[in-house]
Amino acid sequence: MLMNLPNKLTMFRVILIPVFIVVLMTGIIPAPASRYIAVVIFCVASFTDYLDGHIARKYNLVTNFGKFMDPLADKLLVSAALICMIELGLLPAWIVIIIISREFIITGFRLIAAEGGLVIAASWWGKIKTVTQMAMIIIVLLGIGGIIGNILIVLATIFTIISGVDYIVKNINVLKN
């Protein structure tokens, strides 16, 4: 299968996930440099999320592969970062459980909808949630958290819950079949 540029960018994001984890968690690069390099990798990977979607829509390069892999790549990237942050003592596990649980629930909704031929589009709440989560990960990993980091952790958690409830309320009919 030939892959277009947006799909290549999505796969590049997936490839960056283990690189991010190795740099951040293994000690092959001494701290604090490992965190700074990991944040750069995370930022590059996060930017490909914006870029692949923009290119796919602008040039009509949307594919079924992209519809499947793009959100999966985002969930893998954010989940990997959050789980690493638990190990580093930067986030409590209960927050990560809320965030990852929401992703499983919404993915389940999307799978059920897809079986019925429906596509559940990303909402503005979901986009705000994603941006807030990514900003929180960057700020907290950089160690400049403090009050700003704590506010971003709270906001990411709140937007995660709100966006999850929004998806469920708007798409509850998916479960009625």
Side-chain angles (χ1 to χ4, degrees), residues 66-89:
K67 288 180 197 175
F68 171 74
M69 278 305 297
D70 181 62
L72 180 60
D74 299 341
K75 288 169 183 37
L76 291 172
L77 175 64
V78 170
S79 295
L82 295 172
I83 292 167
C84 289
M85 291 169 75
I86 294 171
E87 178 71 18
L88 294 170

Side-chain angles (χ1 to χ4, degrees), residues 26-160:
T26 64
I28 62 169
I29 299 171
S34 58
R35 279 206 196 171
Y36 300 137
I37 294 168
V39 166
V40 169
I41 294 166
F42 184 84
C43 288
V44 169
S46 296
F47 182 68
T48 66
D49 178 30
Y50 162 76
L51 196 57
D52 65 15
H54 175 73
I55 292 169
R57 286 184 296 277
K58 183 173 182 178
Y59 297 103
N60 196 26
L61 296 172
V62 175
T63 64
N64 286 335
F65 178 83
K67 288 180 197 175
F68 171 74
M69 278 305 297
D70 181 62
L72 180 60
D74 299 341
K75 288 169 183 37
L76 291 172
L77 175 64
V78 170
S79 295
L82 295 172
I83 292 167
C84 289
M85 291 169 75
I86 294 171
E87 178 71 18
L88 294 170
L90 300 173
L91 276 180
W94 68 269
I95 288 176
V96 176
I97 291 167
I98 288 171
I99 292 171
I100 292 175
S101 295
R102 181 257 185 219
E103 299 306 333
F104 275 107
I105 292 166
I106 301 312
T107 298
F109 261 80
R110 284 189 164 139
L111 288 172
I112 293 168
E115 284 180 7
L118 301 171
V119 174
I120 298 177
S123 73
W124 282 106
W125 284 115
K127 292 175 193 272
I128 292 167
K129 177 251 340 162
T130 299
V131 170
T132 308
Q133 286 177 358
M134 289 180 173
M136 178 264 297
I137 290 166
I138 292 165
I139 295 298
V140 173
L141 278 179
L142 285 175
I144 54 176
I147 292 174
I148 294 171
N150 288 335
I151 290 170
L152 284 171
I153 291 168
V154 169
L155 288 175
T157 306
I158 290 170
F159 289 140
T160 295

Side-chain angles (χ1 to χ4, degrees), residues 152-175:
L152 284 171
I153 291 168
V154 169
L155 288 175
T157 306
I158 290 170
F159 289 140
T160 295
I161 294 167
I162 290 171
S163 68
V165 169
D166 180 60
Y167 273 103
I168 292 168
V169 168
K170 287 181 178 174
N171 299 288
I172 195 71
N173 59 329
V174 167
L175 299 177

